[in-house]
Amino acid sequence: PIPVIGDNIITVPNAFSPNGDGWNDVIQVIASGDIVEFEFNIFDRWGNLMFNTSQLENTWNGTYNGQQLNSGVFTYTITAVFFDGFRVNKGGNITLMR
């Protein structure tokens, strides 16, 4: 479920296909409301950190250290604090399809 209080919404698509066709080539957190603190982490199935950002506008293209990763399921965590003090801690899965 998407946490909702007023306009405070955070969601993440559950799949993407970084194949260069211009459609769903990156994964990005989608949020409404003013966020003052943010962290987005993506892990492989062994718990290794593949991507990390504290900037909402940053995207992940399915690479690690410049190398394309194979198709698979990755887990993510998000922590965020909205301007009104509402806090979000959530996680889930993202499927990378090549």
Side-chain angles (χ1 to χ4, degrees):
I2 300 170
V4 178
I5 291 185
D7 292 328
N8 300 340
I9 300 171
I10 289 187
T11 190
V12 179
N14 62 4
F16 74 123
S17 57
N19 57 11
D21 68 356
W23 294 91
N24 300 313
D25 285 333
V26 296
I27 205 81
Q28 182 176 20
V29 175
I30 301 163
S32 67
D34 294 323
I35 294 178
V36 295
E37 291 178 35
F38 175 76
E39 186 168 1
F40 180 41
N41 300 298
I42 299 175
F43 303 92
D44 67 11
R45 64 182 176 177
W46 296 282
N48 299 309
L49 183 64
M50 299 288 105
F51 177 78
N52 167 268
T53 186
S54 60
Q55 302 297 313
L56 186 63
E57 63 275 3
N58 288 351
T59 62
W60 183 50
N61 63 1
T63 62
Y64 178 70
N65 286 337
Q67 299 294 314
Q68 289 186 352
L69 297 172
N70 292 328
S71 295
V73 178
F74 295 80
T75 60
Y76 71 85
T77 61
I78 296 172
T79 56
V81 178
F82 286 85
F83 182 75
D84 63 4
F86 180 67
R87 295 181 176 275
V88 172
N89 291 301
K90 73 179 288 181
N93 295 322
I94 298 169
T95 301
L96 186 159
M97 298 178 286
R98 292 248 180 234

